Amino acid sequence: HFALCLQPKRQCKPRQRPPRQSREEMTEQEQQDPQLRRHITLDLLRRRSEHNEGLVSTLEELALHQEELESIGPVLGRTCGRTLRILLLQNNCLGPTLLERETRLLKRMVYLNLALNNLTALGDRPGVLSRCEFLEKLDLTLNFVDVDALEDMVDELARLRSLRELFLLGNPCMGHDVTSGSGGGGGTDATGAIAELSEQLQISAPNNADGQQQQQQPSGWGGCRPYVIARLPNLRTLDGTDILRSERIVATQQLPELQKELRQLAQAKRDAKAKADTAAGDGDDVIEMGPDGFDATTADGKAQTLGDEELTGHTPEVRLQIAREVAEQKAEKARQEKANMPRVKGEQEYEEEQQAAVDKARLREERGDVKQCNEGRWQFRFDEESQPGSVLLSVPVAKFLSSSLIDVDVHPTYVSVVIKGRVLRLVLPAEVRAEDSTAQRS
């Protein structure tokens, strides 16, 4: 028995879509809501875990450089945080601080690379890396850690009893001169590395009115290295240079004076930043980001659009804006590549095409327009000897082809077969009884 139950169609209210936000509104919302920032996703972890056969839960080493990440996010700690030992996050836009809720599950971390990011401080609260009790190497090269955040950062690093190697090259607190290669407290190896990194990043000093390059004044604090050495007794290497016993003794003796000097510099730096923020709010010369690039707005109100080859400011805001533009370009390129890929049909689409081809062939045959054709170029064969009194027609098809994509129609003088939307119509060598004919797959 067959029962058919019909129900009236429900009236569904049309779904109301929220109004589309502009690019400026989305940028402001992303800055306010950390959940909308680019962070590590499960799909990204799977793509970067090919060396571990795609298994995320057992990852021990992970490289996520140049992904334009703005935060770590909660996915990393929940999936592989308990097994991860090496994490490479260089050349992203992480910052301005690490969040404690994102790093508390990274307990077995041994090496953490945070070079070339937007970090102005190490954590949003004390103990942000306290759970990483096995951390031995930390790389903070070319970030934005200044003297006003140095003491808090060293207090945080002092909690890491296993820390042996630390890199602070390129931070404002280290005190270096990019153009001349001379700086305080960095050593010959440190200044050489700074010059090499600066050359790779194409950092140059601005020109004066006569077109000659100006010598940039050394910035930062020359006592940063001895201060860090004195505060971190377990440290063995700083900026790639081994810490000698004599250097540690001298640094420990100078520690009270260094602490006093650092607090004075930190207070002066905070006052300078507050003054700069006030001046920027009053409409002084600032650099604003426009839709076509960087617009240098002068005091006269004239906006000068900088070209692709012009130098821009090296600040966290500028790096973040550039990273978002690069991420948008990558997403657009991925969308274009996906659109240009050959479209793979599903089973339902093949069945719809098959039904349309069958209807078209049967309609043509009903009109009496019967012509032999072999659209699929099938290698068919007639056999009249295997079974006397019968005609066998063999048509080879794909082994895993669905039977729903095969339609056979036998007539007394011809046979019509539609296989995957393509017609095979053949005139029979003799008249047959169509009602006694059979079709089956071998």
Side-chain angles (χ1 to χ4, degrees), residues 37 39 70 72 148 219 387 435:
R37 301 175 184 173
H39 59 272
E70 300 179 23
I72 296 178
D148 56 340
S219 60
Q387 295 184 9
E435 61 277 5

Side-chain angles (χ1 to χ4, degrees), residues 153-369:
M153 185 193 71
V154 176
D155 291 340
E156 179 65 28
L157 296 179
R159 302 170 182 263
L160 305 177
R161 301 300 181 183
S162 301
L163 187 63
R164 296 294 181 268
E165 297 184 47
L166 177 63
F167 289 87
L168 291 175
L169 283 170
N171 285 276
C173 63
M174 285 302 295
H176 62 273
D177 184 2
V178 174
T179 58
S180 62
S182 63
T188 304
D189 298 338
T191 54
I194 282 289
E196 183 179 354
L197 289 172
S198 302
E199 183 178 356
Q200 294 177 0
L201 293 174
Q202 299 180 355
I203 299 177
S204 62
N207 297 334
N208 55 17
D210 299 333
Q212 299 179 355
Q213 193 176 38
Q214 298 176 356
Q215 292 293 332
Q216 185 177 357
Q217 296 296 330
S219 60
W221 181 37
C224 182
R225 179 180 174 85
Y227 175 78
V228 174
I229 292 174
R231 290 290 312 277
L232 303 178
N234 296 327
L235 200 63
R236 297 292 177 264
T237 304
L238 179 59
D239 293 337
T241 304
D242 293 338
I243 301 174
L244 303 178
R245 182 181 179 184
S246 58
E247 186 180 7
R248 187 180 298 277
I249 293 174
V250 174
T252 305
Q253 294 174 352
Q254 297 177 352
L255 181 58
E257 299 179 358
L258 294 174
Q259 287 179 334
K260 182 178 179 181
E261 182 181 356
L262 176 60
R263 289 166 183 171
Q264 293 176 356
L265 292 174
Q267 186 60 40
K269 175 61 69 173
R270 296 188 190 98
D271 296 341
K273 288 183 178 180
K275 184 177 180 181
D277 294 340
T278 304
D282 294 340
D284 289 353
D285 294 350
V286 294
I287 296 179
E288 297 181 354
M289 181 70 64
D292 299 329
F294 297 96
D295 296 337
T297 305
T298 61
D300 300 336
K302 298 181 180 179
Q304 180 183 2
T305 302
L306 302 180
D308 296 337
E309 301 298 331
E310 297 291 339
L311 297 178
T312 59
H314 184 61
T315 62
E317 293 78 12
V318 173
R319 289 194 74 249
L320 180 60
Q321 183 66 23
I322 294 176
R324 288 178 176 175
E325 292 179 358
V326 172
E328 185 177 352
Q329 293 174 2
K330 288 183 178 180
E332 181 63 26
K333 182 179 179 181
R335 286 193 293 267
Q336 292 179 358
E337 291 178 353
K338 185 177 180 180
N340 295 332
M341 289 178 61
R343 187 166 175 266
V344 180
K345 297 180 181 179
E347 183 178 356
Q348 183 178 359
E349 296 178 347
Y350 278 120
E351 291 180 355
E352 293 176 356
E353 292 182 358
Q354 170 75 2
Q355 187 61 38
V358 170
D359 295 342
K360 182 178 179 181
R362 300 297 175 257
L363 181 61
R364 182 175 181 178
E365 294 165 1
E366 289 178 0
R367 294 199 305 261
D369 187 6

